[in-house]
Amino acid sequence: MTTALSSAALDSLAGRAGRAAGAAHEHRRLPAELAEAVSASGFTRHFVPGRWGGEEGTFTGFARAGTALAEECASTAWCAALYAAHGRLAAYLPEDGQRDLWGRSPDVRIAAAVMPPAGRAVAEGDGWSLSGEWAFASGIDHAHWALLAGRTGADEERTVRVFAVPRHEFEVLDTWDSTGLRGTGSNTVRVKDVLVPSHRTLTPAELAHIDPDRARCHRVPYPAVAGIQFLAPALGAARRARQAWIGDMSARCRADGRPAHTTVTAQQVLTRASAEIHAAELLLAEAARRADEDPVTPSVVAENVRDFSVAAELCETAVGRLVRAAGARALTGSSPLYRAWQDVCVATGHASLGFEAASAHYAQAVLPAAGTEA
């Protein structure tokens, strides 16, 4: 029997994901059996608390697994990474809420739509009546639960809460039709007047609370690790693009009969793109290591936010460079390079990897406070 996210488990899942990638792309969601394989591999239990049978795993292992899986299918890696990350968020629910989710098994697929808060909740008895629609809930078709953020109260008393809603209480609207990451099934969730008990809700303040008695993976602020779930699939897709480019260029000849890969231009393109992808790998690896090992300080959190964003830019730049140098044949729908480029563009476009917000966060952490002398 393989252990969670072991090499054997990942190899098995990656093989299945590669074989199903075309179907996932065509149908705009993972096949049901592939979603089950994601759970069996250990992704869904990776950050689940140990008392429910979870792994309480490392961010380094998480990043490596997500990157490796994306080399076969970025959509599968995206869903797998988010299922794992959402399990980490759900670990902040009260104990009774955690029991509702994991009392029978830690292998529970949890989708989420928490940013921006889209629903409205009204206090009702010992709970909340929740209604609304939330877009871009990746993997929602195969989710057992959804974490949905809604606003409560009015005007100056308005706050935000996250609600855990079981599958039979929400509707999935078929709205996802993107250029990249098409297989993620990032559809819209609709909830109408669903009563969510108080033990299945939490606030952003509770997410930010660091309990020193918990496992390391539950003692790291969300901003310090949020980018991993989006960057790892992008990085894996960038690696796949590099390999596709090498394969295509190795088989191509110039008009004069010489191998295309012997030209100075081709060599320089490959060298620059490879270095950019490798730099992104190093940035992700170091950010994951900080999250696993370093004392949690504002500067460490800011460094991770910075590195996630810059690594995303490096991936997008590298793959764009490869596509431009590949010529017209790389722009067909059946081209592996073109598919990888689409996946990278969509993945790196996620708000969590945005450079403007990352630069503001980093500058605030390391520059002198406003109104003081440098």
Side-chain angles (χ1 to χ4, degrees):
M1 182 176 179
T2 58
T3 57
L5 293 188
S6 66
S7 295
L10 281 172
D11 287 347
S12 175
L13 176 60
R16 298 185 68 164
R19 292 189 294 272
H25 183 86
E26 179 181 356
H27 298 295
R28 296 177 290 109
R29 60 179 55 82
L30 301 187
E33 60 272 17
L34 184 54
E36 292 291 341
V38 167
S39 295
S41 72
F43 266 100
T44 49
R45 67 168 59 195
H46 187 69
F47 292 123
V48 173
R51 66 179 176 274
W52 307 115
E55 297 293 322
E56 296 182 338
T58 67
F59 295 103
T60 296
F62 175 52
R64 288 174 178 168
T67 302
L69 181 56
E71 290 189 62
E72 294 295 330
C73 177
S75 289
T76 303
W78 184 270
C79 290
L82 266 62
Y83 286 148
H86 299 155
R88 180 179 177 275
L89 291 183
Y92 289 82
L93 288 167
E95 184 171 352
D96 285 346
Q98 295 181 39
R99 183 177 292 107
D100 286 352
L101 270 68
W102 298 308
R104 295 183 178 180
S105 170
D107 295 318
V108 174
R109 293 185 293 275
I110 304 171
V114 296
M115 290 297 293
R120 292 286 300 165
V122 178
E124 185 173 324
D126 186 27
W128 302 84
S129 178
L130 178 68
S131 296
E133 290 187 5
W134 292 260
F136 310 129
S138 298
I140 190 66
D141 291 278
H142 305 299
H144 302 110
W145 289 80
L147 299 178
L148 306 172
R151 299 191 181 277
T152 68
D155 300 330
E156 67 275 4
E157 297 181 355
R158 182 173 294 179
T159 59
V160 174
R161 277 186 174 270
V162 177
F163 302 85
V165 181
R167 179 63 184 89
H168 67 276
E169 292 185 337
F170 62 78
E171 178 185 2
V172 177
L173 307 182
D174 186 3
T175 56
W176 180 247
D177 190 12
S178 67
T179 56
L181 296 178
R182 284 179 62 82
T184 61
S186 301
N187 288 309
T188 297
V189 184
R190 176 186 289 165
V191 169
K192 183 173 176 58
D193 300 326
V194 167
L195 184 61
V196 182
S198 59
H199 67 264
R200 284 201 227 129
T201 75
L202 55 86
T203 65
E206 289 165 330
L207 280 175
H209 175 68
I210 303 301
D211 184 347
D213 295 327
R214 304 191 72 184
R216 171 69 191 205
C217 66
H218 301 137
R219 289 188 281 115
V220 183
Y222 180 73
V225 295
I228 297 177
Q229 65 211 54
F230 309 114
L231 179 57
L235 175 58
R239 287 179 176 176
R240 177 160 50 94
R242 179 180 57 193
Q243 289 307 115
W245 191 91
I246 290 172
D248 180 65
M249 197 60 62
S250 297
R252 189 187 303 184
C253 292
R254 300 179 62 188
D256 60 7
R258 287 183 296 166
H261 66 269
T262 61
T263 66
V264 172
T265 298
Q267 293 168 355
Q268 291 182 348
V269 165
L270 176 60
T271 300
R272 287 189 181 278
S274 295
E276 288 160 344
I277 293 169
H278 184 54
E281 293 171 357
L282 296 175
L283 288 170
L284 175 57
E286 177 62 7
R289 188 207 60 76
R290 288 192 201 106
D292 284 330
E293 301 175 6
D294 284 2
V296 178
T297 64
S299 62
V300 165
V301 175
E303 286 170 358
N304 274 17
V305 173
R306 173 201 67 192
D307 289 355
F308 294 143
S309 176
V310 172
E313 286 192 348
L314 286 167
C315 289
E316 185 176 10
T317 298
V319 179
R321 188 187 308 281
L322 294 173
V323 169
R324 287 191 297 274
R329 71 177 64 193
L331 301 178
T332 63
S334 61
S335 164
L337 175 57
Y338 185 59
R339 182 78 56 83
W341 178 55
Q342 291 174 310
D343 290 340
V344 169
C345 287
V346 173
T348 58
H350 194 279
S352 292
L353 301 176
F355 183 74
E356 182 176 354
S359 61
H361 189 140
Y362 183 72
Q364 185 176 19
V366 302
L367 292 175
T372 63
E373 293 295 327

